Amino acid sequence: MKVFDWNDIQNVKSDFFEKGSALTIGSFDGPHKGHESLFVSVLNAATEKNLISGIITFKQALPGLKHPVNYAGDIATLQQRLFQYENKGFDFVVVIDFNESFSHISGRDFFEILYKKINLRYIAEGQDFRCGYKGLFGIQEITDFAFKNGFEAAFLKLVQTDGQRISSSSIRKLVQNGEFSVVNELLERSFELYVKTEVSQDSKLVKIDRKLLKQVAPFSGEYKVLLNGKVNAVLRAEQNFLEISDADFSELRIIEKICF
């Protein structure tokens, strides 16, 4: 899978996109089961229409940029998301740094770039999708643009469970409440918390300051976890920190990944 920066896409005409692309746009934090209908639609269209399949995503999940004060943290890091996209079979990902300049691009100008630079031939989105400055470019505008430029736009119902839409925000709340059996089912993998913490050889426990975490973490409770995919441990969630104990710290010098 090839990974492109948005600025590279704007400035470079790549032969990689010559036969056309099928894609979807979003943060896709997780990703999770709720995204599956979009992913399947894009991958199927790419196969049927002989296109390359891709995702347009953001360096950080958009809710964290738009509402930073009340934001609990991302479900997954960018590297985790990229790994999952590749596992699902996508050919490329374009990563956008959603900054002040990008936030003022109109939806039409954004789609003009996708059409001209990525050779957009098929796009799948949810039925509430909007983009561009102030979210003014929605289903009708995208449909009109697609018709004018000869590509297909599909707007799908997202996957639900028990009649409820699966959302990244609901999964964040489940993580905070420590409901990892449900979280892992919705993610279709174990929830992974990435840290970078050195461990001394005589450690009995390790504390991780919550301020250093960019991902959402449980509010409180005690959890059996796996460190770096190999060492069993217990994690206790406290108000200001996470405490790891009951591990064979002799096998660790740096903790990088905690699996719940």
Side-chain angles (χ1 to χ4, degrees):
M1 184 181 75
K2 296 198 70 169
V3 179
F4 298 91
D5 179 84
W6 175 249
N7 293 325
D8 294 337
I9 289 296
Q10 293 187 86
N11 299 324
V12 177
K13 175 65 176 177
S14 173
D15 293 339
F16 181 78
F17 300 105
E18 186 173 357
K19 67 179 184 180
S21 64
L23 57 83
T24 185
I25 305 164
S27 297
F28 302 121
D29 193 11
H32 54 69
K33 278 186 177 181
H35 302 133
E36 201 62 27
S37 60
L38 297 179
F39 292 168
V40 169
S41 181
V42 169
L43 292 168
N44 286 347
T47 299
E48 294 166 5
K49 301 173 185 293
N50 193 29
L51 306 171
I52 56 173
S53 59
I55 289 178
I56 311 295
T57 194
F58 303 94
K59 199 170 183 179
Q60 182 184 347
L62 290 185
L65 297 172
K66 295 180 178 180
H67 312 287
V69 175
N70 300 316
Y71 188 61
D74 293 346
I75 297 168
T77 66
L78 176 60
Q79 288 306 314
Q80 283 176 293
R81 286 187 281 137
L82 293 176
F83 180 78
Q84 294 300 321
Y85 303 153
E86 185 169 23
N87 272 356
K88 290 181 181 297
F90 284 95
D91 297 309
F92 73 93
V93 175
V94 177
V95 179
I96 297 171
D97 185 0
F98 194 92
N99 52 29
E100 183 70 18
S101 174
F102 182 84
S103 71
H104 284 84
I105 295 177
S106 72
R108 180 168 294 278
D109 287 346
F110 178 55
F111 266 79
E112 285 282 359
I113 294 169
L114 297 181
Y115 177 65
K116 292 177 180 178
K117 297 296 186 179
I118 302 180
N119 198 6
L120 174 59
R121 309 309 306 161
Y122 178 89
I123 184 168
E125 291 300 337
Q127 295 180 343
D128 60 352
F129 178 79
R130 306 191 69 83
C131 69
Y133 183 58
K134 294 186 177 180
L136 296 176
F137 211 67
I139 287 180
Q140 189 59 58
E141 292 78 14
I142 295 169
T143 301
D144 293 344
F145 186 90
F147 179 78
K148 177 182 176 182
N149 292 283
F151 66 85
E152 184 179 352
F155 299 95
L156 311 175
K157 287 186 177 180
L158 301 186
V159 177
Q160 297 186 341
T161 180
D162 297 327
Q164 298 294 316
R165 176 177 169 179
I166 305 168
S167 68
S168 297
S169 59
S170 65
I171 294 177
R172 289 187 193 99
K173 290 179 182 177
L174 289 168
V175 171
Q176 288 178 309
N177 293 333
E179 298 181 53
F180 289 105
S181 60
V182 182
V183 170
N184 294 348
E185 180 183 346
L186 295 177
L187 293 180
E188 300 181 293
R189 62 180 178 86
S190 296
F191 175 75
E192 297 175 351
L193 188 62
Y194 273 69
V195 298
K196 194 79 171 181
T197 302
E198 293 187 4
V199 179
S200 63
Q201 292 299 313
D202 58 350
S203 289
K204 301 296 182 185
L205 57 85
V206 172
K207 288 188 177 182
I208 300 168
D209 190 330
R210 283 187 182 272
K211 294 178 183 178
L212 301 178
L213 299 177
K214 295 183 178 181
Q215 291 173 260
V216 62
F219 278 137
S220 61
E222 185 172 290
Y223 309 91
K224 291 181 179 179
V225 297
L226 199 62
L227 308 180
N228 295 357
K230 64 178 184 177
V231 177
N232 291 306
V234 171
L235 182 143
R236 295 178 184 86
E238 303 289 349
Q239 183 175 359
N240 297 317
F241 59 85
L242 305 178
E243 182 181 272
I244 299 170
S245 64
D246 297 1
D248 184 354
F249 289 112
S250 64
E251 294 189 35
L252 297 165
R253 290 191 177 180
I254 299 176
I255 300 174
E256 294 184 307
K257 180 171 66 174
I258 305 171
C259 300
F260 287 77

